[in-house]
Amino acid sequence: QDCDGLIVRSATKVTAEVLQAAERLQVVGRAGTGVDNVDVEAATRRGVLVMNTPTGNSLSAAELTCGMILCLARQIPQAAASMKEGKWDRKKYMGMELNGKTLAVLGLGRIGREVATRMQAFGMKTIGYDPIITPEVSATFGVEQLPLEQIWPRCDFITVHTPLLPSTTGLLNDSTFAKCRRGVQVVNCARGGIVDEGALLRALRSGQCGGAALDVFTEEPPKDRELVNHPNVISCPHLGASTREAQSRCGKEIALQIVDMATGKGLAGVVNGQALSKAFSPQTKPWIALAKALGTVLRTVGKQAQGTVQVCTLGPPLQDSGSYLTPAVAAGMLAGGAQKEVTLVNALLLAQEAGLKVTTTHSDVALAPDSSVGSLQVSLQGTSLRAAGSVQGSTPVLQEINGATFKQPAPLQGPILIYRAKASEPSTLPALAGLLGKAGVHLQSYHSSSPVAGEQWSVVGLSGPLSDLGELKPRITEAFQL
């Protein structure tokens, strides 16, 4: 209950109940790759960051995969078991050379490419598929990328190295096995479920699949032992990361990642808060602050946090900024609402539940004079509500509210009072000065907009927040503080 951070390996289950009890928890670190033992959705809902160490066990998993391929080719485990039974079956365990055989690597991330380069040393031809890695990049480590339909009939061995997603569940199934060469060999050291276990068993029984090496299963440990007991199946109890080196590396990496996060150095291995990783960059921090402020301005002026908010990034520097500015706008829209704590981790999820949809567009044409740095606009669809701003140096500034523009953009830093009043009302400033004097609050900056329909907006920088705006309200149309 008193922890700000939690580090676990694979056996510890971080459930919704655990997260509910740990009220101070900010981060869960998984010393390893898979986060199956962490309720990521529940963590996201509570604004708890989940991170892993995706590189820590890559070499160990790759080496196990290569060992599995060798064991399939020469039936080493079966021959060793036969020897322990007192037999001498030289003829029974006739194997094959790997030289000249074709290996299909499905998933060409860190582990997939390590497997490919190692098996190339055995003379294997490596082909593969990855929806993210480009063919030009995979060619640099010797893998020819092909569509899956062209891979199935060409390979002698298949190894999978993808995450378990809806698109990869049952990637190898009855249909794909039927398209493969008869006797194809299959290795799964990634995640149970990528290979359809029922389809694999049928392919083994028919001879369409000549052998399989499995380190992972849909259910672990597997209660149904038919696959494990099949004579042409080699199986291990999920040993991909089970080396001294990998365990030590993962433990050190997750500890360092949390220290770096706590000290503001950066964020790595983020599972559920990719937007937050940008918040550590000196270049993006003021933009995130601007996006939150504009979201709060829009909600306060519009007096609602529902509907469709359109976020528009303007200018080439902001071309790829939507991924972190969109949740920041949502966090600003929801700030001060019924949600306990809104962060960049849970903002979009909570916004959706609150009936708020946030869409993002980009244009390379920026508002003058900010074409070199870009600008950000947020608006509420179906209304005239709109706010726009930019960043000057490292300071977020307000440029426009509902069509009223600020000739000198107003800084959005520290305690701020924003109000709308008639442009012809002369007593507003004296009343404000009197209110500040009574409260012992100093005026640090003052910016007013162009008049629209006889009214103008003012943004006042203060040394501290005001507890009561009562004296000001008779002279203004609306006011709020950030």
Side-chain angles (χ1 to χ4, degrees):
Q1 290 183 340
D2 299 327
C3 294
D4 299 292
L6 175 65
I7 293 178
V8 300
R9 293 193 185 269
S10 60
T12 305
K13 306 295 183 186
V14 184
T15 63
E17 290 75 21
V18 171
L19 293 161
Q20 184 74 28
E23 294 182 357
R24 286 179 48 182
L25 195 63
Q26 297 180 49
V27 58
V28 174
R30 161 73 167 98
T33 303
V35 289
D36 312 63
N37 57 317
V38 179
D39 190 331
V40 177
E41 183 180 347
T44 302
R45 188 178 303 280
R46 294 187 62 82
V48 175
L49 186 69
V50 178
M51 58 172 65
N52 64 355
T53 55
T55 62
N57 57 20
S58 297
L59 285 176
S60 293
E63 288 181 358
L64 178 65
T65 303
C66 295
M68 291 289 212
I69 294 171
L70 286 163
C71 285
L72 283 175
R74 300 305 296 268
Q75 302 179 71
I76 297 170
Q78 296 93 324
S82 173
M83 285 288 288
K84 289 182 184 296
E85 293 172 0
K87 300 177 183 177
W88 186 260
D89 292 326
R90 292 188 65 196
K91 292 183 179 180
K92 182 178 180 180
Y93 298 110
M94 182 64 67
M96 70 175 92
E97 289 185 350
L98 295 177
N99 183 55
K101 301 297 189 296
T102 299
L103 171 66
V105 183
L106 307 184
L108 298 169
R110 288 174 295 271
I111 298 173
R113 68 183 63 188
E114 294 289 353
V115 170
T117 54
R118 280 158 176 74
M119 298 318 297
Q120 288 160 13
F122 284 86
M124 297 193 84
K125 174 179 173 55
T126 50
I127 60 177
Y129 173 78
D130 192 295
I132 298 173
I133 307 296
T134 66
E136 291 75 21
V137 170
S138 65
T140 62
F141 51 87
V143 176
E144 177 190 1
Q145 278 212 56
L146 296 169
L148 288 171
E149 293 303 308
Q150 293 183 28
I151 285 177
W152 308 127
R154 290 182 57 172
C155 55
D156 303 293
F157 288 78
I158 301 172
T159 179
V160 295
H161 300 284
T162 71
L164 183 63
L165 304 168
S167 59
T168 61
T169 299
L171 185 62
L172 272 72
N173 51 49
D174 288 310
S175 174
T176 50
F177 275 121
K179 297 171 185 175
C180 292
R181 290 179 179 176
R182 186 166 180 81
V184 67
Q185 310 276 325
V186 174
V187 179
N188 185 6
C189 291
R191 280 287 176 265
I194 298 172
V195 179
D196 183 315
E197 292 177 357
L200 175 59
L201 188 59
R202 289 187 287 274
L204 285 162
R205 287 170 174 168
S206 69
Q208 182 65 15
C209 176
L214 307 173
D215 186 45
V216 291
F217 298 86
T218 304
E219 182 183 34
E220 295 183 356
K223 292 179 182 176
D224 187 337
R225 309 292 293 182
E226 283 193 279
L227 263 180
V228 173
N229 294 335
H230 194 282
N232 292 340
V233 170
I234 301 163
S235 58
C236 294
H238 204 149
L239 299 179
S242 296
T243 63
R244 287 185 293 273
E245 294 83 357
Q247 292 302 301
S248 173
R249 196 182 299 123
C250 287
K252 290 177 181 176
E253 283 185 12
I254 197 64
L256 289 172
Q257 285 172 207
I258 289 182
V259 169
D260 285 346
M261 184 200 75
T263 55
K265 289 183 179 178
L267 211 55
V270 179
V271 174
N272 68 334
Q274 284 75 13
L276 197 61
S277 63
K278 299 290 186 180
F280 287 84
S281 165
Q283 290 77 31
T284 59
K285 276 183 180 179
W287 285 102
I288 290 172
L290 172 68
K292 286 182 177 179
L294 293 182
T296 302
V297 168
L298 195 68
R299 172 186 58 80
T300 309
V301 173
K303 298 177 176 59
Q304 67 180 75
Q306 289 183 321
T308 298
V309 174
Q310 295 174 318
V311 179
C312 183
T313 55
L314 303 170
L318 297 181
Q319 184 171 5
D320 300 317
S321 63
S323 63
Y324 56 90
L325 294 185
T326 302
V329 170
M333 289 286 294
L334 297 172
Q339 294 80 6
K340 284 186 178 179
E341 185 177 357
V342 185
T343 71
L344 293 182
V345 175
N346 63 6
L348 290 179
L349 176 64
L350 295 180
Q352 183 180 7
E353 292 179 350
L356 181 67
K357 182 180 179 182
V358 187
T359 63
T360 309
T361 59
H362 175 77
S363 171
D364 279 339
V365 180
L367 298 174
D370 300 301
S371 56
S372 61
V373 294
S375 56
L376 178 66
Q377 288 182 348
V378 295
S379 58
L380 195 60
Q381 189 174 348
T383 73
S384 59
L385 298 173
R386 186 174 71 180
S390 185
V391 170
Q392 293 182 346
S394 60
T395 304
V397 294
L398 181 66
Q399 297 171 311
E400 176 196 341
I401 300 179
N402 294 351
T405 58
F406 292 84
K407 188 174 182 180
Q408 290 294 325
L412 294 172
Q413 275 188 335
I416 296 168
L417 170 66
I418 300 178
Y419 66 87
R420 177 164 60 98
K422 290 182 178 179
S424 59
E425 176 61 62
S427 62
T428 307
L429 276 177
L432 175 61
L435 180 62
L436 294 178
K438 289 180 182 178
V441 175
H442 300 291
L443 186 148
Q444 297 187 325
S445 64
Y446 177 85
H447 294 75
S448 60
S449 74
S450 59
V452 173
E455 294 188 318
Q456 64 183 163
W457 288 90
S458 296
V459 179
V460 186
L462 305 174
S463 62
L466 290 168
S467 59
D468 184 14
L469 300 177
E471 292 185 27
L472 200 60
K473 286 183 177 179
R475 297 172 174 82
I476 61 175
T477 307
E478 63 178 302
F480 57 92
Q481 297 185 79
L482 294 181

